[in-house]
Amino acid sequence: PTLTPNTGATICAGQTAIFSAGTGANYEFYLNGGSVQSGASSTYSNSTLADGDEIDVGLQAQQDAHPALALFR
């Protein structure tokens, strides 16, 4: 899956960006390395991003009773 903002490549100051992470069982969203949201929601929104901020997502999928975790940026 791809971590995609609803705003396209450019996010302006004060604009709410909604990031979508695709399909999975559980998601962990990170802002600059710190966890900001965890759970079943595949979207994360933020209206206070600053220049240089990085959003990452950890995606856990359940396959054959063995959870797999992948991190996307």
Side-chain angles (χ1 to χ4, degrees):
T2 303
L3 184 60
T4 308
N6 67 320
T7 59
T10 303
I11 300 169
C12 297
Q15 182 178 16
T16 299
I18 301 171
F19 296 88
S20 300
T23 310
N26 288 296
Y27 304 85
E28 184 89 25
F29 286 89
Y30 301 89
L31 172 59
N32 298 323
S35 178
V36 290
Q37 179 178 302
S38 180
S41 177
S42 65
T43 60
Y44 165 70
S45 64
N46 189 314
S47 62
T48 60
L49 293 174
D51 191 30
D53 281 348
E54 292 185 4
I55 302 291
D56 300 307
V57 63
L59 170 66
Q60 183 177 12
Q62 193 74 25
Q63 295 178 344
D64 301 324
H66 299 288
L69 180 64
L71 184 63
F72 298 90
R73 180 173 285 177

